[in-house]
Amino acid sequence: MKLFTLFFALVISTNLTFSQQEKTTKIKVTIDNVLNDSGVVLFSLHTKDTFMKGNGIQSAKSKIEEGKVSITFKNVIPGEYAILVLHDENQNNRMDFEDNGMPLESYGISNNPRSYGPPEYHTAKFKVTDQPIEMNIRF
């Protein structure tokens, strides 16, 4: 009887734990205006706390084929995020700059805002619910 009670308690607690887990979703990102097929495209998913401060909460890398790339961030918890994308032509895993500070490699951010300075979180942020998202980012 003790074994049955213990088993029953384990089953109930496991079901309660799984039912309390937050639903996750996917974010599919496509870029169809890559200037050439050299190098790779680096993607990073950021929160406000990680934006422009290093690694995001998820990262991905994609080979370029005929000027197009596509990746999917999986298991994204609902919340507010921004995406940074870089065409890393020389595959050194960082953005390269001219002497005057202008970027040498193409980049883009979610929402495709037009800006004349560094990317800003408030223009790139978007809401994630438990529904899948598909977005196109331009360089």
Side-chain angles (χ1 to χ4, degrees):
M1 188 65 169
K2 277 185 179 181
L3 185 59
F4 176 74
T5 305
L6 182 61
F7 177 74
F8 184 72
L10 181 63
V11 169
I12 294 296
S13 66
T14 301
N15 284 338
L16 288 175
T17 300
F18 283 125
S19 67
Q20 291 176 358
Q21 288 181 351
E22 216 169 341
K23 290 184 178 183
T24 62
T25 192
K26 299 185 243 183
I27 303 172
K28 181 178 180 181
V29 183
T30 302
I31 300 172
D32 54 18
N33 69 334
V34 184
L35 295 177
N36 59 57
D37 289 357
S38 299
V40 295
V41 174
L42 306 174
F43 298 79
S44 57
L45 179 67
H46 291 269
T47 63
K48 184 176 184 177
D49 294 333
T50 65
F51 192 76
M52 298 294 287
K53 296 176 186 165
N55 295 332
I57 60 167
Q58 285 191 41
S59 298
K61 184 185 297 191
S62 180
K63 216 169 57 160
I64 307 157
E65 295 181 7
E66 299 179 14
K68 296 179 183 179
V69 292
S70 185
I71 62 97
T72 301
F73 292 110
K74 298 177 182 173
N75 300 316
V76 179
I77 297 170
E80 188 177 85
Y81 299 95
I83 297 175
L84 294 169
V85 185
L86 168 67
H87 181 191
D88 187 16
E89 290 189 65
N90 60 4
Q91 298 189 52
N92 65 352
N93 292 317
R94 63 182 178 85
M95 180 177 271
D96 296 313
F97 296 91
E98 294 183 27
D99 291 337
N100 65 3
M102 295 297 293
L104 284 170
E105 298 170 308
S106 300
Y107 69 95
I109 60 177
S110 44
N111 296 331
N112 299 307
R114 293 179 188 223
S115 67
Y116 296 101
E120 296 177 332
Y121 183 77
H122 76 274
T123 61
K125 69 181 178 180
F126 61 94
K127 293 271 187 201
V128 173
T129 64
D130 60 353
Q131 299 300 308
I133 295 174
E134 290 190 21
M135 71 173 60
N136 188 292
I137 296 177
R138 294 186 320 264
F139 281 147

